[in-house]
Amino acid sequence: MRLLLIGCTGFIGRELIDRFSRSGHELIIVSRNAAKSIDIDSSSENIRLLQLDPGTKECWENESLLKALAHSEGVINLAGEPIAEKRWTEEHLAIIQQSRLKTTEYLLEAMKLSKATPKVMINGSAIGFYGTSANELFTEKSKAGNDFLAKLCKDWEGLASTKPEKTRLVIFRIGIVLEQDGGALKKMLPIFKAGLGGPIGTGQQWMSWIHRKDLCSMIEESLKNPNWSGVFNATSPEPVRMSEFAAALGKRLGRPSLLQVPGPILKLLLGDGAKVVLEGQKVISGRLKEVGFKFNYPTLSEALKEIKI
């Protein structure tokens, strides 16, 4: 397929681009720093880089991009500033919000004006859609929460739903993505390897996770299979509590995992953004069963065993 990739040069995108390239898809990658963000051969015949900022109006007036959009069979939009990497100041919250909403708004405007519309659009979202809870179980049928992330995800999904009528839409509410070269695991590994690891906060909060390879398999399958439509929770079938995760990671590394990281320290570093880590949600997917998706790494032990740590 001819695919237009937006916001796909980060942690998830590295795996996605490599997978798509090996599968023979034709890729056009749009990013402010595409060449620097990902380790790819820009001379590859099936990969083209467009050095543009998709969060600006000027980007979507670029003739090369508009031509690429008109010739694309599928669009993947995972644009967005990382959620839990910086302190949540008003300025940073605005960046988190606008990096998702403006990019998607401009993309959809361009799609509606294009001479030809893509057959399928894959749009990102997050399990933050549901808010947080110590005990509730969330599925795709659950209602949105009412905190900042829940409202953001709801607005982002609402924008995506205004896509052209002929374009099939798939939205992935993504959980905590596991792999050693990014995300939460990359930050935790040095601490655990030093024997200083342990649960964060109370340790009782839920972690709804997914191995990066399983997430990318979902995305690739959803491009090809018309039965994939609407919202899917991109999480493993076996969420765990933070204390269980810490114990499993410590066991995998052969290190103790007893030192608890106090919540107040994390709040001092991240402000309100700490709630992403300190307050969890137990999320599973009913819809993945409907489309017959098979996980390669359904359990945490299987996922950690495969990751080269």
Side-chain angles (χ1 to χ4, degrees), residues 6 30-33 50-60 65 79 98-99 103 106:
I6 302 158
V30 183
S31 174
R32 289 175 297 175
N33 300 298
L50 290 179
Q51 199 89 1
L52 298 166
D53 182 353
T56 64
K57 189 72 172 177
E58 291 76 17
C59 168
W60 297 98
L65 176 54
Q98 295 307 309
S99 62
T103 297
Y106 294 145

Side-chain angles (χ1 to χ4, degrees), residues 76-90:
I76 300 176
N77 176 30
L78 302 179
E81 183 77 8
I83 294 291
E85 300 218 342
K86 295 182 180 179
R87 190 174 180 83
W88 277 14
T89 62
E90 281 191 29

Side-chain angles (χ1 to χ4, degrees), residues 209-220:
W209 59 274
I210 185 169
H211 192 292
R212 187 173 65 181
K213 288 183 179 177
D214 275 333
L215 172 59
C216 292
S217 292
M218 288 179 195
I219 294 173
E220 187 166 28

Side-chain angles (χ1 to χ4, degrees), residues 108-125:
L108 289 166
E109 287 178 0
M111 286 173 62
K112 290 169 185 175
L113 294 173
S114 180
K115 295 179 181 178
T117 56
K119 296 177 182 178
V120 58
M121 174 179 172
I122 311 297
N123 207 80
S125 185

Side-chain angles (χ1 to χ4, degrees), residues 10 29 52 67 73 93 111 193 284:
I29 302 166
L52 298 166
K67 184 177 180 180
E73 298 169 272
L93 286 176
M111 286 173 62
K193 286 180 178 180
I284 61 171

Side-chain angles (χ1 to χ4, degrees), residues 65-229:
L65 176 54
L66 294 177
K67 184 177 180 180
L69 178 61
H71 287 84
S72 294
E73 298 169 272
V75 174
I76 300 176
N77 176 30
L78 302 179
E81 183 77 8
I83 294 291
E85 300 218 342
K86 295 182 180 179
R87 190 174 180 83
W88 277 14
T89 62
E90 281 191 29
E91 181 181 5
H92 190 60
L93 286 176
I95 292 172
I96 289 173
Q97 186 177 52
Q98 295 307 309
S99 62
R100 288 162 174 78
L101 301 186
K102 279 298 179 185
T103 297
T104 305
E105 177 185 331
Y106 294 145
L107 165 62
L108 289 166
E109 287 178 0
M111 286 173 62
K112 290 169 185 175
L113 294 173
S114 180
K115 295 179 181 178
T117 56
K119 296 177 182 178
V120 58
M121 174 179 172
I122 311 297
N123 207 80
S125 185
I127 58 174
F129 175 92
Y130 303 109
T132 60
S133 174
N135 301 304
E136 189 172 353
L137 174 64
F138 298 103
T139 70
E140 290 90 348
K141 295 180 180 180
S142 301
K143 295 180 179 179
N146 56 16
D147 59 16
F148 170 78
L149 289 180
K151 292 174 183 176
L152 173 57
C153 290
K154 186 176 181 181
D155 289 345
W156 196 14
E157 293 180 17
L159 263 178
S161 69
T162 66
K163 49 79 184 175
E165 185 178 351
K166 293 182 179 180
T167 300
R168 175 170 56 89
L169 175 65
V170 182
I171 293 174
F172 286 109
R173 292 176 183 157
I174 301 171
I176 298 170
V177 182
L178 298 184
E179 203 23 295
Q180 53 83 25
D181 61 333
L185 192 57
K186 182 180 180 180
K187 294 179 180 179
M188 297 174 77
L189 279 174
I191 301 170
F192 273 77
K193 286 180 178 180
L196 301 174
I200 298 170
T202 66
Q204 292 305 298
Q205 67 271 40
W206 285 100
M207 289 184 64
S208 298
W209 59 274
I210 185 169
H211 192 292
R212 187 173 65 181
K213 288 183 179 177
D214 275 333
L215 172 59
C216 292
S217 292
M218 288 179 195
I219 294 173
E220 187 166 28
E221 284 193 31
S222 70
L223 283 170
K224 301 179 290 186
N225 188 337
N227 291 328
W228 291 68
S229 182

